[in-house]
């Protein structure tokens, strides 16, 4: 992930280098979460992170695509254990 512009420490735009096949799914999910992003034809995904919540949501979306199955299971188990 490369930063290409920054206004403050949190309000930053990033170019996300992601598999072209996964790019559209990531773009759709970020839109569902109201995270500003741009996905033009033959261009990398661009994402604007404006606050800490958006950063955490972005991280969670990216984990879905980059983490291996055992990692995802461990994250889920840790989440359940911390709640109960």
């Amino acid at each position: 992930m490369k930063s290409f512009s920054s206004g403050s420490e949190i309000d930053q735009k990033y170019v996300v280098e992601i598999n072209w096949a996964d790019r559209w799914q990531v773009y759709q999910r970020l839109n569902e979460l109201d995270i500003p992003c741009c996905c033009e034809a033959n261009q990398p995904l661009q994402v604007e992170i404006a606050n800490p919540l958006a950063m955490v949501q972005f991280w969670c979306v990216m984990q879905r695509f980059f983490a291996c199955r055992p990692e995802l299971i461990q994250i889920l188990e840790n989440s359940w254990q911390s709640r109960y």
Side-chain angles (χ1 to χ4, degrees), residues 12-75:
Q12 295 188 5
K13 294 182 181 179
Y14 295 92
V15 172
V16 181
E17 295 178 4
I18 185 171
N19 179 318
W20 293 99
D22 296 331
R23 185 177 62 135
W24 184 248
Q25 290 179 320
V26 170
Y27 170 78
Q28 289 294 331
R29 183 62 184 134
L30 293 175
N31 273 320
E32 290 170 0
L33 295 169
D34 293 325
I35 297 175
C37 55
C38 179
C39 183
E40 297 178 9
N42 298 317
Q43 297 295 317
L45 177 64
Q46 297 178 11
V47 180
E48 185 174 334
I49 305 297
N51 56 57
L53 177 60
M55 179 60 81
V56 171
Q57 289 175 320
F58 173 72
W59 179 83
C60 290
V61 170
M62 297 308 291
Q63 285 298 309
R64 177 176 171 222
F65 290 93
F66 290 117
C68 63
R69 181 173 168 76
E71 285 180 282
L72 294 173
I73 290 170
Q74 187 62 45
I75 291 168

